[in-house]
Amino acid sequence: MARLTQLLLCFYLTGCSNGDGNVSRTHGQVFATTYQLQIAQPISDLPQIEQDVRNILFQIDSNISSYNRESEISKLNDAGTDWFPLSDTSFFVIAESLRIAEWTNGAFDPTSYSL
């Protein structure tokens, strides 16, 4: 989860650009859509950052994407009442989603589709 925290911090800090044009950019596709990453300074190690971002996003896709029929969450949904093993990442996201749903008295609903 530390890598995910670093990625989210990176996304947050990129919004602090001074607009001087010295921006490193990359883009890609995941979650049935596209993404663009802009870093508010030139980065010499951009290829490594690009790979790290792709790895994190594709890990999320393989764990909890409802668009990916091979993701853990899709397989869990298809398992019905059968036991299904989850990775630590998927378990954490589901547990936190349920905790937030309870904390917000259901205002946050982590479920999707008709049940």
Side-chain angles (χ1 to χ4, degrees):
M1 293 312 299
R3 297 287 277 174
L4 181 57
T5 302
Q6 291 171 346
L7 176 65
L8 294 175
L9 179 60
C10 180
F11 286 151
Y12 174 76
L13 292 177
T14 59
C16 300
S17 172
N18 61 11
D20 68 0
N22 287 329
V23 176
S24 295
R25 293 181 172 89
T26 188
H27 64 278
Q29 292 183 298
V30 70
F31 310 129
T33 190
T34 61
Y35 69 90
Q36 182 177 21
L37 175 64
Q38 297 183 38
I39 301 172
Q41 62 185 14
I43 301 290
S44 62
D45 199 18
L46 188 59
Q48 183 60 52
I49 291 172
E50 290 172 330
Q51 187 60 48
D52 290 346
V53 167
R54 262 193 298 281
N55 288 345
I56 291 168
L57 292 175
F58 281 102
Q59 178 187 4
I60 293 168
D61 182 63
S62 70
N63 288 335
I64 60 171
S65 173
S66 61
Y67 294 104
N68 179 350
R69 295 306 307 157
E70 296 301 313
S71 71
E72 285 187 4
I73 197 73
S74 292
K75 289 179 180 179
L76 175 65
N77 287 335
D78 292 341
T81 58
D82 294 335
W83 284 97
F84 185 84
L86 287 176
S87 67
D88 291 343
T89 301
S90 294
F91 182 83
F92 173 80
V93 170
I94 292 169
E96 282 299 296
S97 296
L98 294 173
R99 186 185 68 77
I100 293 168
E102 184 177 327
W103 178 66
T104 62
N105 292 320
F108 173 78
D109 183 358
T111 63
S112 60
Y113 310 117
S114 300
L115 297 178

